[in-house]
Amino acid sequence: MSHSASGPAKIDLVLPYYNEENFIEATLRSLIAQRRQEFSLVLVDNASTDGTTEIAKRVLSDYPGISTTWLTEERPGQLYALQTGIGATTAELIGTVDADTYYPPSYVGRAIDLAREEERAAAVLAVNLGSRTNRRMPPDRWLQIRFFPDKCHAGGAGHIYRRSAYERSGGFDETIWRFVLFDHEIVNRIGRFGKLVYDRDHVIFASDRRDGPDKRSWTPFERLLYKILPENLMDWFFYTFLARRLAARSQDNSVLRARTWS
């Protein structure tokens, strides 16, 4: 573990990575370009075999004012890397970011403001709009959020949790959930301890490699059920219905290491 010095952070951003040498520099430069530098970085190498760590260290070496922690997690799977990274955080707000995602310059500041404006916020969630960085949230996406405000409409690359809600929920824990879609599952638990906060202008953008289909997720039928089932059936949906189906398809969280969209 190593650090670079800085003042106290409003958000600790946890960035797990595995073989992301083609993308991590763009992600880090988007974070470096934040208008409000009220964050620290916790980078977790999930047993990479390429030059991702060297690239990340080169990029961040020019910015000693950004507090940075470097960790490793040998267990294969982003879930384990997130456990390790979050275990090293201390800020009241905990963010999870992906190594192939672009964060607009307003991302950190807007997340802090949204959490401050809504005292009941358990999580602030940013919707991923794909690779077109000039795109705004389509009306139909915003309408879905307004109709189903207690559901997760954002992947883990855009999650920020209030620490108290994260800890009360049990956090990322393979004994609770070991499959893909752990970002949606944890929101199901965190949402019990406060409000899920969205804003139409609080968005992020994925790399263009994610523009293709990803078959490691849920089926259209499973996704539809998630959207329409009431909150009192969400535990049944995840821990009885979906867990059994994902287990049958061998959709453990470690399958995320395969880039099926590439």
Side-chain angles (χ1 to χ4, degrees):
M1 179 189 301
S2 61
H3 302 265
S4 60
S6 182
K10 296 284 186 67
I11 300 178
D12 286 334
L13 297 176
V14 178
L15 196 169
Y17 61 86
Y18 167 71
N19 289 358
E20 295 286 3
E21 63 182 5
N22 294 325
F23 299 94
I24 198 167
E25 179 168 355
T27 293
L28 290 174
R29 294 204 179 280
S30 75
L31 294 172
I32 290 164
Q34 293 297 301
R35 296 191 190 105
R36 287 166 60 180
Q37 298 278 305
E38 300 169 59
F39 67 92
S40 69
L41 284 175
V42 179
L43 289 95
V44 188
D45 180 359
N46 195 202
S48 294
T49 58
D50 67 358
T52 307
T53 297
E54 290 72 19
I55 292 170
K57 288 188 173 182
R58 172 179 56 78
V59 171
L60 290 170
S61 66
D62 292 331
Y63 300 90
I66 296 177
S67 176
T68 306
T69 302
W70 301 89
L71 303 171
T72 58
E73 173 51 67
E74 296 296 330
R75 292 174 296 172
Q78 189 180 26
L79 178 68
Y80 305 117
L82 287 169
Q83 285 179 345
T84 296
I86 291 175
T89 65
T90 58
E92 172 57 21
L93 298 177
I94 305 165
T96 58
V97 296
D98 278 2
D100 65 345
T101 301
Y102 170 78
Y103 295 87
S106 62
Y107 179 76
V108 166
R110 190 67 186 126
I112 292 171
D113 289 344
L114 289 168
R116 180 185 298 128
E117 291 164 8
E118 178 51 74
E119 293 182 357
R120 294 180 53 250
V124 176
L125 307 175
V127 175
N128 194 323
L129 297 185
S131 61
R132 288 172 45 204
T133 58
N134 62 343
R135 188 183 182 198
R136 299 199 64 188
M137 190 184 298
D140 62 324
R141 292 287 297 276
W142 184 238
L143 197 61
Q144 284 186 35
I145 292 170
R146 298 301 296 269
F147 270 111
F148 306 105
D150 296 325
K151 299 294 177 68
C152 180
H153 302 272
H159 286 193
I160 290 177
Y161 314 124
R162 197 179 297 280
R163 178 175 297 278
S164 57
Y166 177 83
E167 291 177 347
R168 292 177 69 188
S169 76
F172 289 109
D173 184 340
E174 69 275 16
T175 66
I176 300 174
W177 187 263
R178 62 181 175 85
F179 305 105
V180 297
L181 298 168
F182 50 83
D183 46 3
H184 284 63
E185 185 276 331
I186 198 170
V187 167
N188 175 57
R189 286 183 280 128
I190 285 178
R192 300 169 186 170
F193 304 105
K195 183 178 179 180
L196 305 181
V197 176
Y198 295 92
D199 182 86
R200 192 167 184 177
D201 294 322
H202 187 54
V203 297
I204 58 176
F205 302 92
S207 68
D208 57 7
R209 74 174 177 182
R210 290 183 182 263
D211 290 344
D214 184 355
K215 298 181 180 179
R216 303 162 309 174
S217 190
W218 37 20
T219 67
F221 173 65
E222 292 162 354
R223 184 186 296 270
L224 176 63
L225 273 186
Y226 174 72
K227 287 182 177 180
I228 65 174
L229 285 176
E231 285 304 298
N232 62 359
L233 290 179
M234 280 296 97
D235 281 0
W236 170 84
F237 172 80
F238 277 107
Y239 310 119
T240 300
F241 172 77
L242 190 60
R244 183 172 61 244
R245 292 168 69 95
L246 292 176
R249 300 202 299 267
S250 300
Q251 296 293 288
D252 185 271
N253 87 94
S254 63
V255 305
L256 295 173
R257 296 166 79 82
R259 274 65 168 177
T260 60
W261 56 75
S262 299

mmCIF file with all atom_site columns, all heavy atoms in Angstrom, residues 72-97:
data_model
loop_
_atom_site.group_PDB
_atom_site.id
_atom_site.type_symbol
_atom_site.label_atom_id
_atom_site.label_alt_id
_atom_site.label_comp_id
_atom_site.label_asym_id
_atom_site.label_entity_id
_atom_site.label_seq_id
_atom_site.pdbx_PDB_ins_code
_atom_site.Cartn_x
_atom_site.Cartn_y
_atom_site.Cartn_z
_atom_site.occupancy
_atom_site.B_iso_or_equiv
_atom_site.pdbx_formal_charge
_atom_site.auth_seq_id
_atom_site.auth_comp_id
_atom_site.auth_asym_id
_atom_site.auth_atom_id
_atom_site.pdbx_PDB_model_num
ATOM 1   N N   . THR A 1 72 ? -3.642  -4.365  -3.822  1.00 0.00 ? 72 THR A N   1
ATOM 2   C CA  . THR A 1 72 ? -3.786  -5.524  -4.699  1.00 0.00 ? 72 THR A CA  1
ATOM 3   C C   . THR A 1 72 ? -4.782  -6.505  -4.073  1.00 0.00 ? 72 THR A C   1
ATOM 4   O O   . THR A 1 72 ? -4.903  -6.601  -2.853  1.00 0.00 ? 72 THR A O   1
ATOM 5   C CB  . THR A 1 72 ? -2.445  -6.253  -4.911  1.00 0.00 ? 72 THR A CB  1
ATOM 6   O OG1 . THR A 1 72 ? -1.926  -6.667  -3.643  1.00 0.00 ? 72 THR A OG1 1
ATOM 7   C CG2 . THR A 1 72 ? -1.439  -5.349  -5.598  1.00 0.00 ? 72 THR A CG2 1
ATOM 8   N N   . GLU A 1 73 ? -5.501  -7.197  -4.929  1.00 0.00 ? 73 GLU A N   1
ATOM 9   C CA  . GLU A 1 73 ? -6.432  -8.249  -4.504  1.00 0.00 ? 73 GLU A CA  1
ATOM 10  C C   . GLU A 1 73 ? -6.277  -9.410  -5.471  1.00 0.00 ? 73 GLU A C   1
ATOM 11  O O   . GLU A 1 73 ? -6.597  -9.280  -6.658  1.00 0.00 ? 73 GLU A O   1
ATOM 12  C CB  . GLU A 1 73 ? -7.870  -7.736  -4.499  1.00 0.00 ? 73 GLU A CB  1
ATOM 13  C CG  . GLU A 1 73 ? -8.930  -8.787  -4.228  1.00 0.00 ? 73 GLU A CG  1
ATOM 14  C CD  . GLU A 1 73 ? -8.639  -9.602  -2.988  1.00 0.00 ? 73 GLU A CD  1
ATOM 15  O OE1 . GLU A 1 73 ? -8.687  -9.030  -1.878  1.00 0.00 ? 73 GLU A OE1 1
ATOM 16  O OE2 . GLU A 1 73 ? -8.353  -10.811 -3.131  1.00 0.00 ? 73 GLU A OE2 1
ATOM 17  N N   . GLU A 1 74 ? -5.758  -10.527 -4.973  1.00 0.00 ? 74 GLU A N   1
ATOM 18  C CA  . GLU A 1 74 ? -5.449  -11.667 -5.831  1.00 0.00 ? 74 GLU A CA  1
ATOM 19  C C   . GLU A 1 74 ? -6.670  -12.513 -6.165  1.00 0.00 ? 74 GLU A C   1
ATOM 20  O O   . GLU A 1 74 ? -6.665  -13.235 -7.174  1.00 0.00 ? 74 GLU A O   1
ATOM 21  C CB  . GLU A 1 74 ? -4.372  -12.539 -5.181  1.00 0.00 ? 74 GLU A CB  1
ATOM 22  C CG  . GLU A 1 74 ? -3.020  -11.843 -5.020  1.00 0.00 ? 74 GLU A CG  1
ATOM 23  C CD  . GLU A 1 74 ? -2.383  -11.485 -6.355  1.00 0.00 ? 74 GLU A CD  1
ATOM 24  O OE1 . GLU A 1 74 ? -2.623  -12.208 -7.345  1.00 0.00 ? 74 GLU A OE1 1
ATOM 25  O OE2 . GLU A 1 74 ? -1.660  -10.484 -6.417  1.00 0.00 ? 74 GLU A OE2 1
ATOM 26  N N   . ARG A 1 75 ? -7.698  -12.503 -5.325  1.00 0.00 ? 75 ARG A N   1
ATOM 27  C CA  . ARG A 1 75 ? -8.883  -13.285 -5.640  1.00 0.00 ? 75 ARG A CA  1
ATOM 28  C C   . ARG A 1 75 ? -9.535  -12.745 -6.909  1.00 0.00 ? 75 ARG A C   1
ATOM 29  O O   . ARG A 1 75 ? -9.832  -11.550 -6.986  1.00 0.00 ? 75 ARG A O   1
ATOM 30  C CB  . ARG A 1 75 ? -9.888  -13.229 -4.490  1.00 0.00 ? 75 ARG A CB  1
ATOM 31  C CG  . ARG A 1 75 ? -9.441  -13.932 -3.226  1.00 0.00 ? 75 ARG A CG  1
ATOM 32  C CD  . ARG A 1 75 ? -10.448 -13.698 -2.112  1.00 0.00 ? 75 ARG A CD  1
ATOM 33  N NE  . ARG A 1 75 ? -10.525 -12.280 -1.743  1.00 0.00 ? 75 ARG A NE  1
ATOM 34  C CZ  . ARG A 1 75 ? -11.434 -11.776 -0.895  1.00 0.00 ? 75 ARG A CZ  1
ATOM 35  N NH1 . ARG A 1 75 ? -12.362 -12.578 -0.361  1.00 0.00 ? 75 ARG A NH1 1
ATOM 36  N NH2 . ARG A 1 75 ? -11.431 -10.492 -0.612  1.00 0.00 ? 75 ARG A NH2 1
ATOM 37  N N   . PRO A 1 76 ? -9.759  -13.563 -7.926  1.00 0.00 ? 76 PRO A N   1
ATOM 38  C CA  . PRO A 1 76 ? -10.315 -13.054 -9.184  1.00 0.00 ? 76 PRO A CA  1
ATOM 39  C C   . PRO A 1 76 ? -11.786 -12.687 -9.050  1.00 0.00 ? 76 PRO A C   1
ATOM 40  O O   . PRO A 1 76 ? -12.608 -13.498 -8.630  1.00 0.00 ? 76 PRO A O   1
ATOM 41  C CB  . PRO A 1 76 ? -10.123 -14.222 -10.160 1.00 0.00 ? 76 PRO A CB  1
ATOM 42  C CG  . PRO A 1 76 ? -10.093 -15.432 -9.289  1.00 0.00 ? 76 PRO A CG  1
ATOM 43  C CD  . PRO A 1 76 ? -9.458  -15.002 -8.001  1.00 0.00 ? 76 PRO A CD  1
ATOM 44  N N   . GLY A 1 77 ? -12.088 -11.441 -9.372  1.00 0.00 ? 77 GLY A N   1
ATOM 45  C CA  . GLY A 1 77 ? -13.468 -10.976 -9.320  1.00 0.00 ? 77 GLY A CA  1
ATOM 46  C C   . GLY A 1 77 ? -13.554 -9.553  -8.805  1.00 0.00 ? 77 GLY A C   1
ATOM 47  O O   . GLY A 1 77 ? -12.958 -9.224  -7.777  1.00 0.00 ? 77 GLY A O   1
ATOM 48  N N   . GLN A 1 78 ? -14.280 -8.730  -9.525  1.00 0.00 ? 78 GLN A N   1
ATOM 49  C CA  . GLN A 1 78 ? -14.401 -7.325  -9.142  1.00 0.00 ? 78 GLN A CA  1
ATOM 50  C C   . GLN A 1 78 ? -15.026 -7.165  -7.759  1.00 0.00 ? 78 GLN A C   1
ATOM 51  O O   . GLN A 1 78 ? -14.695 -6.230  -7.018  1.00 0.00 ? 78 GLN A O   1
ATOM 52  C CB  . GLN A 1 78 ? -15.235 -6.571  -10.183 1.00 0.00 ? 78 GLN A CB  1
ATOM 53  C CG  . GLN A 1 78 ? -15.236 -5.068  -9.991  1.00 0.00 ? 78 GLN A CG  1
ATOM 54  C CD  . GLN A 1 78 ? -16.084 -4.355  -11.036 1.00 0.00 ? 78 GLN A CD  1
ATOM 55  O OE1 . GLN A 1 78 ? -17.027 -4.935  -11.584 1.00 0.00 ? 78 GLN A OE1 1
ATOM 56  N NE2 . GLN A 1 78 ? -15.754 -3.117  -11.323 1.00 0.00 ? 78 GLN A NE2 1
ATOM 57  N N   . LEU A 1 79 ? -15.920 -8.062  -7.392  1.00 0.00 ? 79 LEU A N   1
ATOM 58  C CA  . LEU A 1 79 ? -16.551 -8.007  -6.084  1.00 0.00 ? 79 LEU A CA  1
ATOM 59  C C   . LEU A 1 79 ? -15.500 -8.020  -4.972  1.00 0.00 ? 79 LEU A C   1
ATOM 60  O O   . LEU A 1 79 ? -15.585 -7.246  -4.012  1.00 0.00 ? 79 LEU A O   1
ATOM 61  C CB  . LEU A 1 79 ? -17.503 -9.187  -5.924  1.00 0.00 ? 79 LEU A CB  1
ATOM 62  C CG  . LEU A 1 79 ? -18.232 -9.325  -4.590  1.00 0.00 ? 79 LEU A CG  1
ATOM 63  C CD1 . LEU A 1 79 ? -19.239 -8.201  -4.416  1.00 0.00 ? 79 LEU A CD1 1
ATOM 64  C CD2 . LEU A 1 79 ? -18.929 -10.670 -4.497  1.00 0.00 ? 79 LEU A CD2 1
ATOM 65  N N   . TYR A 1 80 ? -14.483 -8.873  -5.100  1.00 0.00 ? 80 TYR A N   1
ATOM 66  C CA  . TYR A 1 80 ? -13.448 -8.975  -4.081  1.00 0.00 ? 80 TYR A CA  1
ATOM 67  C C   . TYR A 1 80 ? -12.560 -7.727  -4.074  1.00 0.00 ? 80 TYR A C   1
ATOM 68  O O   . TYR A 1 80 ? -12.137 -7.256  -3.010  1.00 0.00 ? 80 TYR A O   1
ATOM 69  C CB  . TYR A 1 80 ? -12.612 -10.227 -4.311  1.00 0.00 ? 80 TYR A CB  1
ATOM 70  C CG  . TYR A 1 80 ? -13.441 -11.476 -4.380  1.00 0.00 ? 80 TYR A CG  1
ATOM 71  C CD1 . TYR A 1 80 ? -13.489 -12.248 -5.538  1.00 0.00 ? 80 TYR A CD1 1
ATOM 72  C CD2 . TYR A 1 80 ? -14.213 -11.883 -3.289  1.00 0.00 ? 80 TYR A CD2 1
ATOM 73  C CE1 . TYR A 1 80 ? -14.266 -13.381 -5.609  1.00 0.00 ? 80 TYR A CE1 1
ATOM 74  C CE2 . TYR A 1 80 ? -14.996 -13.020 -3.351  1.00 0.00 ? 80 TYR A CE2 1
ATOM 75  C CZ  . TYR A 1 80 ? -15.023 -13.772 -4.520  1.00 0.00 ? 80 TYR A CZ  1
ATOM 76  O OH  . TYR A 1 80 ? -15.810 -14.890 -4.584  1.00 0.00 ? 80 TYR A OH  1
ATOM 77  N N   . ALA A 1 81 ? -12.278 -7.200  -5.256  1.00 0.00 ? 81 ALA A N   1
ATOM 78  C CA  . ALA A 1 81 ? -11.479 -5.984  -5.334  1.00 0.00 ? 81 ALA A CA  1
ATOM 79  C C   . ALA A 1 81 ? -12.208 -4.809  -4.687  1.00 0.00 ? 81 ALA A C   1
ATOM 80  O O   . ALA A 1 81 ? -11.605 -3.970  -4.022  1.00 0.00 ? 81 ALA A O   1
ATOM 81  C CB  . ALA A 1 81 ? -11.140 -5.663  -6.788  1.00 0.00 ? 81 ALA A CB  1
ATOM 82  N N   . LEU A 1 82 ? -13.529 -4.750  -4.871  1.00 0.00 ? 82 LEU A N   1
ATOM 83  C CA  . LEU A 1 82 ? -14.308 -3.694  -4.225  1.00 0.00 ? 82 LEU A CA  1
ATOM 84  C C   . LEU A 1 82 ? -14.297 -3.855  -2.711  1.00 0.00 ? 82 LEU A C   1
ATOM 85  O O   . LEU A 1 82 ? -14.181 -2.867  -1.977  1.00 0.00 ? 82 LEU A O   1
ATOM 86  C CB  . LEU A 1 82 ? -15.738 -3.707  -4.758  1.00 0.00 ? 82 LEU A CB  1
ATOM 87  C CG  . LEU A 1 82 ? -15.927 -3.184  -6.180  1.00 0.00 ? 82 LEU A CG  1
ATOM 88  C CD1 . LEU A 1 82 ? -17.331 -3.509  -6.688  1.00 0.00 ? 82 LEU A CD1 1
ATOM 89  C CD2 . LEU A 1 82 ? -15.681 -1.672  -6.238  1.00 0.00 ? 82 LEU A CD2 1
ATOM 90  N N   . GLN A 1 83 ? -14.421 -5.077  -2.229  1.00 0.00 ? 83 GLN A N   1
ATOM 91  C CA  . GLN A 1 83 ? -14.333 -5.320  -0.788  1.00 0.00 ? 83 GLN A CA  1
ATOM 92  C C   . GLN A 1 83 ? -13.027 -4.766  -0.234  1.00 0.00 ? 83 GLN A C   1
ATOM 93  O O   . GLN A 1 83 ? -13.007 -4.054  0.778   1.00 0.00 ? 83 GLN A O   1
ATOM 94  C CB  . GLN A 1 83 ? -14.390 -6.826  -0.494  1.00 0.00 ? 83 GLN A CB  1
ATOM 95  C CG  . GLN A 1 83 ? -15.742 -7.472  -0.617  1.00 0.00 ? 83 GLN A CG  1
ATOM 96  C CD  . GLN A 1 83 ? -15.653 -8.967  -0.336  1.00 0.00 ? 83 GLN A CD  1
ATOM 97  O OE1 . GLN A 1 83 ? -14.564 -9.547  -0.318  1.00 0.00 ? 83 GLN A OE1 1
ATOM 98  N NE2 . GLN A 1 83 ? -16.793 -9.587  -0.128  1.00 0.00 ? 83 GLN A NE2 1
ATOM 99  N N   . THR A 1 84 ? -11.925 -5.121  -0.878  1.00 0.00 ? 84 THR A N   1
ATOM 100 C CA  . THR A 1 84 ? -10.610 -4.687  -0.417  1.00 0.00 ? 84 THR A CA  1
ATOM 101 C C   . THR A 1 84 ? -10.476 -3.178  -0.478  1.00 0.00 ? 84 THR A C   1
ATOM 102 O O   . THR A 1 84 ? -9.984  -2.547  0.464   1.00 0.00 ? 84 THR A O   1
ATOM 103 C CB  . THR A 1 84 ? -9.520  -5.358  -1.270  1.00 0.00 ? 84 THR A CB  1
ATOM 104 O OG1 . THR A 1 84 ? -9.592  -6.775  -1.064  1.00 0.00 ? 84 THR A OG1 1
ATOM 105 C CG2 . THR A 1 84 ? -8.131  -4.869  -0.897  1.00 0.00 ? 84 THR A CG2 1
ATOM 106 N N   . GLY A 1 85 ? -10.906 -2.580  -1.577  1.00 0.00 ? 85 GLY A N   1
ATOM 107 C CA  . GLY A 1 85 ? -10.782 -1.134  -1.727  1.00 0.00 ? 85 GLY A CA  1
ATOM 108 C C   . GLY A 1 85 ? -11.620 -0.358  -0.729  1.00 0.00 ? 85 GLY A C   1
ATOM 109 O O   . GLY A 1 85 ? -11.142 0.587   -0.093  1.00 0.00 ? 85 GLY A O   1
ATOM 110 N N   . ILE A 1 86 ? -12.868 -0.747  -0.570  1.00 0.00 ? 86 ILE A N   1
ATOM 111 C CA  . ILE A 1 86 ? -13.749 -0.040  0.353   1.00 0.00 ? 86 ILE A CA  1
ATOM 112 C C   . ILE A 1 86 ? -13.263 -0.206  1.789   1.00 0.00 ? 86 ILE A C   1
ATOM 113 O O   . ILE A 1 86 ? -13.402 0.703   2.618   1.00 0.00 ? 86 ILE A O   1
ATOM 114 C CB  . ILE A 1 86 ? -15.202 -0.510  0.178   1.00 0.00 ? 86 ILE A CB  1
ATOM 115 C CG1 . ILE A 1 86 ? -15.733 -0.039  -1.182  1.00 0.00 ? 86 ILE A CG1 1
ATOM 116 C CG2 . ILE A 1 86 ? -16.097 0.013   1.303   1.00 0.00 ? 86 ILE A CG2 1
ATOM 117 C CD1 . ILE A 1 86 ? -17.115 -0.529  -1.535  1.00 0.00 ? 86 ILE A CD1 1
ATOM 118 N N   . GLY A 1 87 ? -12.622 -1.334  2.073   1.00 0.00 ? 87 GLY A N   1
ATOM 119 C CA  . GLY A 1 87 ? -12.065 -1.534  3.397   1.00 0.00 ? 87 GLY A CA  1
ATOM 120 C C   . GLY A 1 87 ? -10.981 -0.537  3.752   1.00 0.00 ? 87 GLY A C   1
ATOM 121 O O   . GLY A 1 87 ? -10.674 -0.343  4.939   1.00 0.00 ? 87 GLY A O   1
ATOM 122 N N   . ALA A 1 88 ? -10.401 0.122   2.748   1.00 0.00 ? 88 ALA A N   1
ATOM 123 C CA  . ALA A 1 88 ? -9.343  1.109   2.987   1.00 0.00 ? 88 ALA A CA  1
ATOM 124 C C   . ALA A 1 88 ? -9.869  2.538   2.978   1.00 0.00 ? 88 ALA A C   1
ATOM 125 O O   . ALA A 1 88 ? -9.083  3.482   3.090   1.00 0.00 ? 88 ALA A O   1
ATOM 126 C CB  . ALA A 1 88 ? -8.249  0.959   1.928   1.00 0.00 ? 88 ALA A CB  1
ATOM 127 N N   . THR A 1 89 ? -11.168 2.739   2.851   1.00 0.00 ? 89 THR A N   1
ATOM 128 C CA  . THR A 1 89 ? -11.735 4.086   2.772   1.00 0.00 ? 89 THR A CA  1
ATOM 129 C C   . THR A 1 89 ? -12.099 4.606   4.155   1.00 0.00 ? 89 THR A C   1
ATOM 130 O O   . THR A 1 89 ? -12.320 3.845   5.092   1.00 0.00 ? 89 THR A O   1
ATOM 131 C CB  . THR A 1 89 ? -12.983 4.119   1.873   1.00 0.00 ? 89 THR A CB  1
ATOM 132 O OG1 . THR A 1 89 ? -14.016 3.315   2.475   1.00 0.00 ? 89 THR A OG1 1
ATOM 133 C CG2 . THR A 1 89 ? -12.668 3.592   0.475   1.00 0.00 ? 89 THR A CG2 1
ATOM 134 N N   . THR A 1 90 ? -12.185 5.939   4.243   1.00 0.00 ? 90 THR A N   1
ATOM 135 C CA  . THR A 1 90 ? -12.562 6.579   5.512   1.00 0.00 ? 90 THR A CA  1
ATOM 136 C C   . THR A 1 90 ? -13.596 7.680   5.334   1.00 0.00 ? 90 THR A C   1
ATOM 137 O O   . THR A 1 90 ? -14.203 8.107   6.315   1.00 0.00 ? 90 THR A O   1
ATOM 138 C CB  . THR A 1 90 ? -11.323 7.191   6.196   1.00 0.00 ? 90 THR A CB  1
ATOM 139 O OG1 . THR A 1 90 ? -10.721 8.150   5.314   1.00 0.00 ? 90 THR A OG1 1
ATOM 140 C CG2 . THR A 1 90 ? -10.298 6.120   6.551   1.00 0.00 ? 90 THR A CG2 1
ATOM 141 N N   . ALA A 1 91 ? -13.810 8.167   4.114   1.00 0.00 ? 91 ALA A N   1
ATOM 142 C CA  . ALA A 1 91 ? -14.712 9.297   3.887   1.00 0.00 ? 91 ALA A CA  1
ATOM 143 C C   . ALA A 1 91 ? -16.163 8.891   4.125   1.00 0.00 ? 91 ALA A C   1
ATOM 144 O O   . ALA A 1 91 ? -16.517 7.708   4.074   1.00 0.00 ? 91 ALA A O   1
ATOM 145 C CB  . ALA A 1 91 ? -14.552 9.842   2.467   1.00 0.00 ? 91 ALA A CB  1
ATOM 146 N N   . GLU A 1 92 ? -17.012 9.890   4.345   1.00 0.00 ? 92 GLU A N   1
ATOM 147 C CA  . GLU A 1 92 ? -18.434 9.630   4.563   1.00 0.00 ? 92 GLU A CA  1
ATOM 148 C C   . GLU A 1 92 ? -19.101 9.125   3.290   1.00 0.00 ? 92 GLU A C   1
ATOM 149 O O   . GLU A 1 92 ? -20.061 8.366   3.347   1.00 0.00 ? 92 GLU A O   1
ATOM 150 C CB  . GLU A 1 92 ? -19.134 10.894  5.061   1.00 0.00 ? 92 GLU A CB  1
ATOM 151 C CG  . GLU A 1 92 ? -20.653 10.801  5.146   1.00 0.00 ? 92 GLU A CG  1
ATOM 152 C CD  . GLU A 1 92 ? -21.157 9.653   6.034   1.00 0.00 ? 92 GLU A CD  1
ATOM 153 O OE1 . GLU A 1 92 ? -20.387 9.178   6.891   1.00 0.00 ? 92 GLU A OE1 1
ATOM 154 O OE2 . GLU A 1 92 ? -22.302 9.218   5.845   1.00 0.00 ? 92 GLU A OE2 1
ATOM 155 N N   . LEU A 1 93 ? -18.601 9.542   2.116   1.00 0.00 ? 93 LEU A N   1
ATOM 156 C CA  . LEU A 1 93 ? -19.145 9.080   0.841   1.00 0.00 ? 93 LEU A CA  1
ATOM 157 C C   . LEU A 1 93 ? -18.145 8.142   0.175   1.00 0.00 ? 93 LEU A C   1
ATOM 158 O O   . LEU A 1 93 ? -16.950 8.447   0.100   1.00 0.00 ? 93 LEU A O   1
ATOM 159 C CB  . LEU A 1 93 ? -19.460 10.255  -0.075  1.00 0.00 ? 93 LEU A CB  1
ATOM 160 C CG  . LEU A 1 93 ? -20.513 11.251  0.414   1.00 0.00 ? 93 LEU A CG  1
ATOM 161 C CD1 . LEU A 1 93 ? -20.661 12.396  -0.577  1.00 0.00 ? 93 LEU A CD1 1
ATOM 162 C CD2 . LEU A 1 93 ? -21.864 10.559  0.644   1.00 0.00 ? 93 LEU A CD2 1
ATOM 163 N N   . ILE A 1 94 ? -18.641 7.010   -0.309  1.00 0.00 ? 94 ILE A N   1
ATOM 164 C CA  . ILE A 1 94 ? -17.807 5.986   -0.949  1.00 0.00 ? 94 ILE A CA  1
ATOM 165 C C   . ILE A 1 94 ? -18.286 5.830   -2.383  1.00 0.00 ? 94 ILE A C   1
ATOM 166 O O   . ILE A 1 94 ? -19.459 5.515   -2.624  1.00 0.00 ? 94 ILE A O   1
ATOM 167 C CB  . ILE A 1 94 ? -17.929 4.633   -0.232  1.00 0.00 ? 94 ILE A CB  1
ATOM 168 C CG1 . ILE A 1 94 ? -17.600 4.764   1.256   1.00 0.00 ? 94 ILE A CG1 1
ATOM 169 C CG2 . ILE A 1 94 ? -17.048 3.589   -0.906  1.00 0.00 ? 94 ILE A CG2 1
ATOM 170 C CD1 . ILE A 1 94 ? -18.054 3.559   2.072   1.00 0.00 ? 94 ILE A CD1 1
ATOM 171 N N   . GLY A 1 95 ? -17.396 6.029   -3.345  1.00 0.00 ? 95 GLY A N   1
ATOM 172 C CA  . GLY A 1 95 ? -17.764 5.883   -4.745  1.00 0.00 ? 95 GLY A CA  1
ATOM 173 C C   . GLY A 1 95 ? -17.091 4.676   -5.377  1.00 0.00 ? 95 GLY A C   1
ATOM 174 O O   . GLY A 1 95 ? -15.965 4.318   -5.026  1.00 0.00 ? 95 GLY A O   1
ATOM 175 N N   . THR A 1 96 ? -17.778 4.012   -6.302  1.00 0.00 ? 96 THR A N   1
ATOM 176 C CA  . THR A 1 96 ? -17.188 2.929   -7.077  1.00 0.00 ? 96 THR A CA  1
ATOM 177 C C   . THR A 1 96 ? -17.105 3.381   -8.529  1.00 0.00 ? 96 THR A C   1
ATOM 178 O O   . THR A 1 96 ? -18.096 3.815   -9.112  1.00 0.00 ? 96 THR A O   1
ATOM 179 C CB  . THR A 1 96 ? -18.012 1.635   -6.954  1.00 0.00 ? 96 THR A CB  1
ATOM 180 O OG1 . THR A 1 96 ? -19.360 1.856   -7.392  1.00 0.00 ? 96 THR A OG1 1
ATOM 181 C CG2 . THR A 1 96 ? -18.047 1.164   -5.508  1.00 0.00 ? 96 THR A CG2 1
ATOM 182 N N   . VAL A 1 97 ? -15.918 3.308   -9.101  1.00 0.00 ? 97 VAL A N   1
ATOM 183 C CA  . VAL A 1 97 ? -15.690 3.765   -10.470 1.00 0.00 ? 97 VAL A CA  1
ATOM 184 C C   . VAL A 1 97 ? -15.042 2.645   -11.270 1.00 0.00 ? 97 VAL A C   1
ATOM 185 O O   . VAL A 1 97 ? -14.370 1.776   -10.719 1.00 0.00 ? 97 VAL A O   1
ATOM 186 C CB  . VAL A 1 97 ? -14.824 5.046   -10.506 1.00 0.00 ? 97 VAL A CB  1
ATOM 187 C CG1 . VAL A 1 97 ? -15.544 6.199   -9.833  1.00 0.00 ? 97 VAL A CG1 1
ATOM 188 C CG2 . VAL A 1 97 ? -13.477 4.835   -9.835  1.00 0.00 ? 97 VAL A CG2 1
#
